[in-house]
Each structure stands twice: as structure tokens, then as C-alpha cells.
Amino acid sequence: MLAKRIIAALDIKEGRVVKGIKFQNIRDAGDPVELAKRYEEEGIDEIVFLDITASHEKRQILLDLVKRIAEEIYVPFTVGGGIKSIEEIREIIKSGADKVFLNTAAVDNPKLVSEVAKVVGSANLVIAIDAKWNGKFWEVYTHGGRKARGIDAVDWAKEVECLGAGEILLTSMDTDGTQEGFDIPLTKAIVEAVDIPVIASGGAGSPEHFYEAFEIGASAALAASIFHYGKYTVRELKKYLARRGVNVRLE
């Protein structure tokens, strides 16, 4: 059985790590290079870099910062935010990223998913899905949570799998930043709809929340606030999960 992965998220705005609640009320959380180094020392399995305003501001990702972080860490490093073309992806990979993720550009142009999968391989392509319950279904949002797209997240997950995505980074906008737990109904619906790995994201506040996500089939779980603000270390979290019988990598 593959080990369950713990992933730290670095949401970037103006060169700093930030974190909000339900995509609002953004506040500073620290220097991205220092945080990445600290999480690697604590035993994190992967780090995700998200330039949260690139799509909204219609600009390219902060490549210099990507390069600076990549030079300091050895764990898998996934980068996304505002990516629109294969040329940009080549530059991001050259800057040291191991994987890339798409969100807005994939919804705008689903064919791009297939094209990118051919260039970088499905194993290196993550599709990020930001979803929010609208009373009838979990609706896909883009542009950093600013734009509802009228698309059912479960259907979209199935489609991107068919198009060549190797993994789904699923963020619940309803639970993001609340520290009240992952959106288990949403995560379970996506896990059961696809065969590719699903990363649960949004709402982690305690080790129990990670256990719940792994129990319903998530391959990895991503968190930000609990690590950024020192509520738990990665090592404390992994030891808890190991005691509960979850297969995690302990250093």
C-alpha cells in the first residue's frame, strides 16, 4: 500500500506566504523560502506553491521565487497559479518544479490538459479544483475563487482524468481556512468518481481531520494554517497518524 502523503501549501501573494478563510481575509504567514525549508526538515512529503493572484491579475507566475525555493528543498515541488501555456510550464519546470498544476486555464481550455500531459507526462500534471456547494451540486470556481463556472466538480474531475490529469488537488471553498475539518462529503464524492489520486485540501485543523480524509480514500492531504501558525508540526501529525495505523513516511 502506498504511503499517505502530507503536503504543505504555500499560498503566495506579493512574494509572501499568506492564508485566508474561505478565500477571504488574507493575512501574512511568513517567508516562503524559510517555511519550505522548515517543513522539509520536519518531514513533509511534498510542497505546493500557489501564486494566488496570478490568474486574477493576468500575469505570469513568480519564477524567481519558484527558483529560490526549488534550490533549497529536495522534496517534490508542485507549482501553479496563472499558468496559461505550455511555454510557461516549460519555464516553471526549468526553474526547478517537479510538477505543475492547472486550474483556471484548464476550465477555460480543457484541451490544454491533454496537451500538457503529453509534454510533462500525466504523473507530473495536477489539476486543481476549487469547489463550493451551491445548494444543488459542488460548483467549480476559478480565478482564485472569484468566478463561479456552473460546472459540477464531480463531472469535471471525471473529465480531467480522461484528458490525462495524473492527480487532483481538491479544495473545498466552504471549509478552506476554517480549521474545522476537510469537506468529507465532497472529497468522498470525488475519490469515488475517479481512479487517480485525490489530494484533500481546505479545513485541516487537527490530526483527526487528516485521519478522516485518509479513511475515505484521499491519497494525500494538504494543509497550510496549522503548519504556518505552529499549531502542529509535520512530525507531530505523522506520529499521530502512524499510531492510528495510517501508512506514512516517518524519518
Side-chain angles (χ1 to χ4, degrees), residues 129-149:
I129 300 177
D130 296 337
K132 185 176 182 180
W133 181 252
N134 67 7
K136 295 181 180 177
F137 59 89
W138 286 288
E139 185 171 5
V140 172
Y141 278 67
T142 60
H143 298 79
R146 294 174 176 82
K147 189 172 182 180
R149 305 303 294 256

Side-chain angles (χ1 to χ4, degrees), residues 28-103:
D28 187 83
D31 178 78
V33 176
E34 295 304 315
L35 285 175
K37 290 166 63 178
R38 189 181 101 199
Y39 297 148
E40 182 173 66
E41 289 169 1
E42 292 179 358
I44 202 76
D45 295 302
E46 295 183 24
I47 290 175
V48 166
F49 174 109
L50 169 59
D51 189 334
I52 64 170
T53 57
S55 283
H56 176 62
E57 295 171 358
K58 297 180 181 178
R59 60 167 171 77
Q60 293 191 348
I61 209 162
L62 299 172
L63 281 177
D64 287 346
L65 185 54
V66 170
K67 191 177 296 183
R68 285 174 50 211
I69 295 172
E71 287 173 350
E72 297 287 345
I73 61 173
Y74 297 94
V75 294
F77 184 38
T78 304
V79 174
I83 299 172
K84 295 181 289 298
S85 69
I86 289 173
E87 289 70 28
E88 288 177 74
I89 288 170
R90 288 196 172 103
E91 290 301 314
I92 291 168
I93 297 292
K94 282 182 189 174
S95 298
D98 300 290
K99 297 188 278 188
V100 294
F101 73 83
L102 302 174
N103 184 343

Side-chain angles (χ1 to χ4, degrees), residues 136-220:
K136 295 181 180 177
F137 59 89
W138 286 288
E139 185 171 5
V140 172
Y141 278 67
T142 60
H143 298 79
R146 294 174 176 82
K147 189 172 182 180
R149 305 303 294 256
I151 300 170
D152 187 316
V154 176
D155 293 339
W156 178 231
K158 292 178 186 174
E159 184 173 347
V160 298
E161 180 181 33
C162 292
L163 290 168
E167 193 165 25
I168 290 171
L169 169 53
L170 176 67
T171 300
S172 166
M173 294 178 63
D174 296 305
T175 59
D176 184 68
T178 64
Q179 299 191 43
E180 295 175 351
F182 294 104
D183 190 330
I184 295 299
L186 167 63
T187 306
K188 190 170 188 289
I190 301 290
V191 165
E192 292 178 349
V194 299
D195 292 323
I196 55 179
V198 175
I199 304 167
S201 168
S206 73
E208 290 84 355
H209 296 153
F210 288 81
Y211 180 77
E212 291 169 359
F214 292 140
E215 277 290 283
I216 53 99
S219 298

